[in-house]
Amino acid sequence: AARILIPVEQARQIAGTSGDPLKVLEALPGVARPSSSGPGAGALVIRGSAPEDTKFYIDGMPLFQVYHFGNLYSVLQDEWIRDIDYRPGGFSVEFGNATGGFLGVTLGDLKTDGVHGHLDVNVFHTAALITAPVSESWSIGAAFRRSYIDAILPAVIPEDSGFGFGVAPRYYDYQTRADYVPNERFNLRLLAFGSDDLFSFILEEPPDQDPSFDGFSFARRFHQRRASHSGTNKEHLWVV
Protein backbone atom coordinates (compact mmCIF):
# COMPACT_ATOMS: atom_id res chain seq x y z
CA ALA A 1 0.00 0.00 0.00
CA ALA A 2 1.24 3.46 -0.92
CA ARG A 3 1.19 6.12 1.80
CA ILE A 4 2.69 9.62 1.99
CA LEU A 5 2.71 11.41 5.35
CA ILE A 6 3.58 15.11 5.03
CA PRO A 7 4.25 17.30 8.09
CA VAL A 8 2.68 20.74 7.75
CA GLU A 9 6.08 22.49 8.02
CA GLN A 10 7.27 20.63 4.93
CA ALA A 11 4.02 21.19 3.02
CA ARG A 12 4.28 24.98 3.46
CA GLN A 13 7.64 24.98 1.66
CA ILE A 14 6.37 23.37 -1.55
CA ALA A 15 6.29 25.83 -4.46
CA GLY A 16 2.85 26.82 -5.73
CA THR A 17 0.91 26.21 -2.51
CA SER A 18 0.53 29.94 -1.65
CA GLY A 19 1.22 29.03 1.96
CA ASP A 20 -1.72 26.60 2.08
CA PRO A 21 -0.33 23.17 3.06
CA LEU A 22 -3.33 21.22 1.72
CA LYS A 23 -2.59 22.46 -1.81
CA VAL A 24 0.49 20.24 -1.75
CA LEU A 25 -1.87 17.40 -2.71
CA GLU A 26 -2.07 18.74 -6.26
CA ALA A 27 1.67 18.14 -6.64
CA LEU A 28 1.61 14.50 -5.50
CA PRO A 29 1.86 11.58 -7.95
CA GLY A 30 -1.43 10.33 -9.35
CA VAL A 31 -3.40 13.46 -8.39
CA ALA A 32 -5.29 15.71 -10.80
CA ARG A 33 -8.19 18.07 -10.34
CA PRO A 34 -11.34 18.78 -12.38
CA SER A 35 -12.29 22.15 -13.80
CA SER A 36 -11.85 25.09 -11.44
CA SER A 37 -15.48 26.09 -11.99
CA GLY A 38 -18.78 24.27 -11.90
CA PRO A 39 -20.13 21.63 -9.53
CA GLY A 40 -16.88 19.65 -9.56
CA ALA A 41 -14.71 22.57 -8.51
CA GLY A 42 -12.71 22.04 -5.37
CA ALA A 43 -12.51 18.26 -5.83
CA LEU A 44 -9.58 15.95 -6.52
CA VAL A 45 -9.09 13.13 -9.02
CA ILE A 46 -6.81 10.36 -7.79
CA ARG A 47 -5.56 7.75 -10.25
CA GLY A 48 -8.27 8.64 -12.73
CA SER A 49 -11.18 7.86 -10.41
CA ALA A 50 -14.26 10.04 -10.09
CA PRO A 51 -13.91 12.91 -7.58
CA GLU A 52 -16.64 11.47 -5.36
CA ASP A 53 -14.65 8.21 -5.05
CA THR A 54 -12.00 9.93 -2.92
CA LYS A 55 -12.86 10.52 0.73
CA PHE A 56 -11.49 13.15 3.08
CA TYR A 57 -11.11 12.87 6.85
CA ILE A 58 -10.18 15.18 9.70
CA ASP A 59 -8.88 13.43 12.81
CA GLY A 60 -10.39 10.17 11.54
CA MET A 61 -13.89 11.50 10.81
CA PRO A 62 -15.38 12.58 7.44
CA LEU A 63 -14.50 16.00 6.06
CA PHE A 64 -17.13 17.06 3.55
CA GLN A 65 -15.01 19.47 1.52
CA VAL A 66 -11.30 20.25 1.25
CA TYR A 67 -11.13 23.21 -1.17
CA HIS A 68 -13.19 26.23 -2.00
CA PHE A 69 -14.41 26.74 -5.56
CA GLY A 70 -11.50 27.11 -7.93
CA ASN A 71 -9.12 25.23 -5.60
CA LEU A 72 -7.70 28.61 -4.58
CA TYR A 73 -7.48 27.71 -0.88
CA SER A 74 -8.54 24.93 1.44
CA VAL A 75 -11.38 25.29 3.96
CA LEU A 76 -8.99 24.92 6.93
CA GLN A 77 -6.42 27.44 8.06
CA ASP A 78 -2.98 25.91 8.26
CA GLU A 79 -2.05 26.93 11.83
CA TRP A 80 -4.06 24.07 13.31
CA ILE A 81 -2.96 21.34 10.88
CA ARG A 82 -0.25 18.96 12.11
CA ASP A 83 0.22 16.63 9.14
CA ILE A 84 -1.41 15.37 5.94
CA ASP A 85 -1.91 11.66 5.23
CA TYR A 86 -2.31 10.77 1.53
CA ARG A 87 -3.05 7.21 0.38
CA PRO A 88 -3.90 6.63 -3.31
CA GLY A 89 -4.91 3.03 -2.66
CA GLY A 90 -4.71 0.08 -0.31
CA PHE A 91 -6.06 1.90 2.73
CA SER A 92 -7.90 0.25 5.61
CA VAL A 93 -11.55 -0.82 5.32
CA GLU A 94 -12.42 1.48 8.23
CA PHE A 95 -12.40 4.29 5.66
CA GLY A 96 -15.33 3.02 3.65
CA ASN A 97 -17.13 4.12 0.47
CA ALA A 98 -13.86 5.12 -1.18
CA THR A 99 -12.49 3.44 -4.29
CA GLY A 100 -10.22 6.27 -5.43
CA GLY A 101 -8.08 7.55 -2.61
CA PHE A 102 -7.87 8.62 1.00
CA LEU A 103 -6.85 11.97 2.43
CA GLY A 104 -6.53 12.45 6.18
CA VAL A 105 -5.86 15.73 7.98
CA THR A 106 -4.59 15.54 11.56
CA LEU A 107 -4.98 18.57 13.79
CA GLY A 108 -2.22 19.64 16.13
CA ASP A 109 -2.59 20.87 19.70
CA LEU A 110 -3.30 24.50 20.47
CA LYS A 111 -0.35 26.47 21.76
CA THR A 112 -0.43 27.11 25.50
CA ASP A 113 2.58 29.41 25.93
CA GLY A 114 0.70 32.65 25.26
CA VAL A 115 -1.47 34.43 22.73
CA HIS A 116 -0.73 33.62 19.08
CA GLY A 117 -2.37 34.73 15.86
CA HIS A 118 -1.97 36.02 12.34
CA LEU A 119 -3.61 38.28 9.78
CA ASP A 120 -3.43 37.42 6.07
CA VAL A 121 -4.49 39.96 3.44
CA ASN A 122 -4.00 39.07 -0.23
CA VAL A 123 -5.70 39.58 -3.58
CA PHE A 124 -8.25 36.83 -2.88
CA HIS A 125 -9.29 37.19 0.76
CA THR A 126 -8.63 38.40 4.28
CA ALA A 127 -8.05 35.82 7.00
CA ALA A 128 -7.43 36.07 10.72
CA LEU A 129 -6.63 33.54 13.45
CA ILE A 130 -6.04 33.78 17.19
CA THR A 131 -5.37 31.24 19.95
CA ALA A 132 -4.90 31.78 23.66
CA PRO A 133 -4.80 29.82 26.93
CA VAL A 134 -7.59 30.81 29.32
CA SER A 135 -6.52 28.64 32.25
CA GLU A 136 -3.99 25.95 33.08
CA SER A 137 -6.21 23.34 31.42
CA TRP A 138 -8.24 25.22 28.77
CA SER A 139 -7.09 26.78 25.49
CA ILE A 140 -9.34 28.36 22.87
CA GLY A 141 -8.97 29.52 19.30
CA ALA A 142 -10.93 31.06 16.44
CA ALA A 143 -10.27 31.64 12.76
CA PHE A 144 -12.22 33.29 9.95
CA ARG A 145 -11.62 33.90 6.25
CA ARG A 146 -13.71 35.88 3.75
CA SER A 147 -13.03 36.48 0.07
CA TYR A 148 -13.75 39.77 -1.65
CA ILE A 149 -13.52 38.75 -5.30
CA ASP A 150 -17.23 39.56 -5.62
CA ALA A 151 -16.47 43.13 -4.55
CA ILE A 152 -13.52 43.56 -6.93
CA LEU A 153 -15.07 42.21 -10.15
CA PRO A 154 -17.89 44.80 -10.44
CA ALA A 155 -15.23 47.51 -10.28
CA VAL A 156 -13.20 46.11 -13.19
CA ILE A 157 -16.00 44.83 -15.46
CA PRO A 158 -17.22 47.55 -17.87
CA GLU A 159 -20.77 48.72 -17.25
CA ASP A 160 -21.68 48.17 -20.92
CA SER A 161 -20.46 44.55 -20.93
CA GLY A 162 -24.01 43.20 -20.59
CA PHE A 163 -23.33 40.88 -17.70
CA GLY A 164 -22.40 41.05 -14.06
CA PHE A 165 -21.43 38.98 -11.06
CA GLY A 166 -24.16 39.39 -8.49
CA VAL A 167 -22.62 37.98 -5.33
CA ALA A 168 -19.75 35.82 -6.43
CA PRO A 169 -17.40 34.13 -6.81
CA ARG A 170 -17.10 34.36 -3.06
CA TYR A 171 -16.23 32.05 -0.20
CA TYR A 172 -15.81 32.10 3.52
CA ASP A 173 -14.86 29.62 6.21
CA TYR A 174 -14.57 29.61 9.98
CA GLN A 175 -13.18 27.43 12.75
CA THR A 176 -13.68 27.70 16.50
CA ARG A 177 -12.04 25.38 18.95
CA ALA A 178 -11.56 24.64 22.65
CA ASP A 179 -9.07 22.14 24.11
CA TYR A 180 -9.19 20.81 27.65
CA VAL A 181 -5.95 19.12 28.70
CA PRO A 182 -5.71 18.82 32.51
CA ASN A 183 -2.84 16.34 32.23
CA GLU A 184 -0.91 14.39 29.62
CA ARG A 185 -3.28 11.40 29.92
CA PHE A 186 -6.49 13.29 29.10
CA ASN A 187 -7.36 15.39 26.05
CA LEU A 188 -10.81 16.78 25.20
CA ARG A 189 -11.17 18.71 21.95
CA LEU A 190 -14.28 20.66 20.91
CA LEU A 191 -14.37 21.87 17.31
CA ALA A 192 -16.91 23.76 15.19
CA PHE A 193 -16.11 24.68 11.61
CA GLY A 194 -17.80 25.31 8.30
CA SER A 195 -17.51 26.68 4.79
CA ASP A 196 -19.77 28.51 2.32
CA ASP A 197 -19.11 28.94 -1.42
CA LEU A 198 -21.25 30.72 -3.99
CA PHE A 199 -20.64 31.42 -7.65
CA SER A 200 -23.33 33.46 -9.37
CA PHE A 201 -23.32 34.73 -12.96
CA ILE A 202 -26.15 37.17 -13.67
CA LEU A 203 -27.03 38.65 -17.07
CA GLU A 204 -28.43 42.15 -17.08
CA GLU A 205 -30.25 41.41 -20.35
CA PRO A 206 -31.25 37.87 -21.40
CA PRO A 207 -29.87 36.75 -24.80
CA ASP A 208 -32.10 36.90 -27.84
CA GLN A 209 -31.61 33.17 -28.43
CA ASP A 210 -33.05 32.30 -25.00
CA PRO A 211 -35.05 35.09 -23.33
CA SER A 212 -35.77 32.88 -20.32
CA PHE A 213 -32.07 32.58 -19.41
CA ASP A 214 -30.86 35.23 -16.97
CA GLY A 215 -27.81 33.52 -15.46
CA PHE A 216 -26.78 30.60 -13.28
CA SER A 217 -25.27 29.91 -9.88
CA PHE A 218 -23.51 27.17 -7.94
CA ALA A 219 -23.52 26.95 -4.15
CA ARG A 220 -21.96 24.60 -1.66
CA ARG A 221 -21.79 24.85 2.12
CA PHE A 222 -21.35 22.71 5.21
CA HIS A 223 -21.23 23.18 8.98
CA GLN A 224 -19.79 20.54 11.30
CA ARG A 225 -19.59 20.20 15.08
CA ARG A 226 -17.44 17.58 16.68
CA ALA A 227 -16.04 16.55 20.04
CA SER A 228 -13.22 14.10 20.62
CA HIS A 229 -11.76 12.67 23.78
CA SER A 230 -8.56 10.69 24.01
CA GLY A 231 -6.97 9.17 27.06
CA THR A 232 -4.36 6.63 28.03
CA ASN A 233 -6.46 3.60 27.16
CA LYS A 234 -9.42 4.82 25.10
CA GLU A 235 -10.62 7.29 22.53
CA HIS A 236 -14.10 8.59 21.68
CA LEU A 237 -15.40 10.72 18.83
CA TRP A 238 -18.70 12.53 18.47
CA VAL A 239 -19.69 14.35 15.28
CA VAL A 240 -22.78 16.36 14.31
Side-chain angles (χ1 to χ4, degrees):
R3 182 185 183 187
I4 301 177
L5 191 64
I6 309 172
V8 66
E9 293 81 6
Q10 180 180 355
R12 290 194 188 105
Q13 299 174 5
I14 303 299
T17 62
S18 303
D20 188 340
L22 286 179
K23 291 190 69 177
V24 71
L25 295 168
E26 299 174 0
L28 294 178
V31 178
R33 69 179 189 180
S35 171
S36 60
S37 61
L44 290 174
V45 174
I46 296 180
R47 289 184 172 177
S49 61
E52 59 270 19
D53 291 334
T54 293
K55 300 302 179 182
F56 311 112
Y57 292 84
I58 176 171
D59 278 350
M61 297 302 293
L63 176 63
F64 302 116
Q65 177 183 340
V66 175
Y67 299 111
H68 293 293
F69 279 162
N71 292 55
L72 295 175
Y73 286 89
S74 64
V75 300
L76 297 172
Q77 295 208 38
D78 67 306
E79 291 289 338
W80 293 347
I81 299 174
R82 187 178 70 193
D83 52 47
I84 302 165
D85 186 354
Y86 167 67
R87 310 181 202 184
F91 42 87
S92 171
V93 295
E94 66 180 295
F95 306 110
N97 299 320
T99 57
F102 163 88
L103 167 66
V105 177
T106 303
L107 299 180
D109 296 328
L110 293 180
K111 296 179 180 179
T112 59
D113 58 347
V115 179
H116 296 266
H118 71 234
L119 178 65
D120 175 24
V121 180
N122 57 45
V123 297
F124 297 110
H125 64 237
T126 294
L129 178 147
I130 187 170
T131 64
V134 294
S135 70
E136 293 184 357
S137 301
W138 283 97
S139 299
I140 61 174
F144 184 80
R145 175 165 42 197
R146 172 63 158 90
S147 71
Y148 34 69
I149 305 175
D150 54 319
I152 295 176
L153 285 178
V156 299
I157 295 177
E159 295 183 357
D160 58 352
S161 61
F163 65 88
F165 289 85
V167 291
R170 72 106 174 97
Y171 59 85
Y172 76 80
D173 58 66
Y174 68 92
Q175 299 102 49
T176 59
R177 181 173 161 186
D179 287 8
Y180 176 64
V181 187
N183 54 63
E184 62 183 12
R185 301 184 304 275
F186 185 96
N187 188 317
L188 175 65
R189 179 178 298 166
L190 308 175
L191 177 66
F193 64 103
S195 171
D196 189 297
D197 289 13
L198 178 63
F199 182 92
S200 179
F201 181 81
I202 300 175
L203 291 173
E204 295 181 357
E205 295 291 339
D208 295 336
Q209 297 84 350
D210 188 1
S212 63
F213 179 76
D214 59 359
F216 60 88
S217 64
F218 300 107
R220 180 171 55 191
R221 61 183 59 90
F222 76 88
H223 304 279
Q224 186 169 350
R225 310 290 181 263
R226 53 177 289 137
S228 62
H229 161 248
S230 60
T232 304
N233 299 316
K234 58 184 177 180
E235 180 175 348
H236 303 283
L237 292 170
W238 301 271
V239 176
V240 177

